[in-house]
Amino acid sequence: MKLPAIFFILFCGSNVISAGERDAVITESELVGRTQQLYDAVVPGYQAPWKKYFADDCIFADEKGRTMDKTKLVADITPMPAGYSGAIKIEQVQSRIYDNVAILSYDVNETETIFGQNLSARYHVTDTWLRRDGNWQIIASQAHRYYEDPAVGKADSKKFPDFIGAYELAPGQTRKIIVEGDSLFVERSGKKDQLFPEASELFFRKGVEGRILFRYGKNGKVDALIDRRNNEDVVWRKVTN
């Protein structure tokens, strides 16, 4: 009579999952839930989830180029000022989950209202979660912001004749500024891109980070095209009108 009972105990015992084993198991949905908790805590400046889910020895690199340890990261979580509100939601999630390491890669859509004016931004974030002592925490996180074109402004077409002409970077390296209808274009090696105005003398190409500026010399005429990239200038000297 005791033998079946022993078999039952042994059978059940072989299927019992220890507390340590339960802690070792984590799913994508659990990671997403924890990550959303972090972002939901940003607007009110609630630091507790950031203290809980980031390891003490974590590295956090944000979209502004700042690299922070946990102390600086947590200190950066403060309530939004009066008149500000917003929400942050994660989307397009991908994950890779292993025994002690999990990678969560996702888009972040941020909406912000500043005294009634609405703003939005998109980021991509990759978090590395590490399991130590049965506890899953983020050991490294890196974010970058998706490039967005600036708002199109109003061009002063009366100035277009000042911009027309050829510009030289070096011998044999030239680009032209031409006008077609009410639009301005830059042409190089047979490739033509429209220049969209951000201001009367400040332009951009859609999908291309940077700005095109036209510089006026002491004589009041345009003497250079400036290709500004990440606050550094490549100067093309005007050679013909």
Side-chain angles (χ1 to χ4, degrees):
M1 295 296 294
K2 293 182 179 179
L3 194 57
I6 292 173
F7 280 150
F8 180 77
I9 292 170
L10 291 174
F11 176 78
C12 291
S14 66
N15 287 276
V16 171
I17 300 176
S18 68
E21 289 173 324
R22 283 196 300 271
D23 290 339
V25 177
I26 196 163
T27 65
E28 179 180 287
S29 62
E30 289 175 310
L31 293 173
V32 169
R34 294 183 182 190
T35 304
Q36 189 61 60
Q37 286 182 47
L38 292 170
Y39 291 117
D40 288 343
V42 169
V43 172
Y46 183 46
Q47 297 180 346
W50 294 80
K51 293 177 179 178
K52 179 179 180 180
Y53 292 133
F54 276 85
D56 289 341
D57 54 345
C58 71
I59 300 172
F60 183 88
D62 72 3
E63 75 284 354
K64 300 176 183 177
R66 302 180 300 174
T67 300
M68 295 180 277
D69 59 15
K70 184 173 181 176
T71 300
K72 292 180 180 178
L73 170 61
V74 172
D76 200 51
I77 306 300
T78 57
M80 297 184 76
Y84 287 62
S85 63
I88 303 172
K89 299 299 180 184
I90 65 174
E91 299 177 348
Q92 304 295 328
V93 176
Q94 295 187 62
S95 66
R96 301 291 185 271
I97 301 175
Y98 306 99
D99 291 341
N100 297 313
V101 176
I103 310 297
L104 197 70
S105 187
Y106 52 92
D107 285 348
V108 172
N109 285 330
E110 178 184 22
T111 56
E112 186 174 4
T113 302
I114 302 177
F115 291 94
Q117 299 186 50
N118 297 320
L119 304 175
S120 63
R122 295 190 310 124
Y123 308 88
H124 189 81
V125 184
T126 299
D127 296 331
T128 301
W129 292 75
L130 178 66
R131 185 180 74 89
R132 287 187 291 201
D133 300 323
N135 186 31
W136 286 93
Q137 289 183 307
I138 298 173
I139 188 67
S141 179
Q142 185 167 21
H144 73 258
R145 182 170 181 170
Y146 284 112
Y147 171 75
E148 301 285 353
D149 289 327
V152 177
K154 184 174 179 57
D156 184 357
S157 58
K158 294 179 181 178
K159 292 186 176 182
F160 283 2
D162 295 345
F163 307 151
I164 294 172
Y167 297 80
E168 184 180 70
L169 178 64
Q173 300 294 321
T174 60
R175 57 175 26 168
K176 293 180 180 179
I177 297 297
I178 59 176
V179 175
E180 293 183 1
D182 295 328
S183 300
L184 201 65
F185 293 84
V186 59
E187 185 178 39
R188 185 183 183 191
S189 302
K191 182 182 177 182
K192 184 170 62 176
D193 292 313
Q194 185 173 353
L195 297 180
F196 294 88
E198 187 173 357
S200 62
E201 295 160 26
L202 180 65
F203 298 83
F204 66 92
R205 291 162 289 175
K206 286 194 173 181
V208 179
E209 191 168 2
R211 302 292 189 274
I212 298 292
L213 301 84
F214 293 95
R215 187 182 72 187
Y216 284 85
K218 293 181 180 180
N219 61 0
K221 296 182 179 180
V222 171
D223 65 0
L225 177 154
I226 297 174
D227 191 347
R228 180 162 293 168
R229 307 176 184 181
N230 196 28
N231 294 324
E232 295 183 322
D233 293 343
V234 177
V235 179
W236 297 68
R237 184 175 56 89
K238 192 173 187 181
V239 290
T240 63
N241 293 323

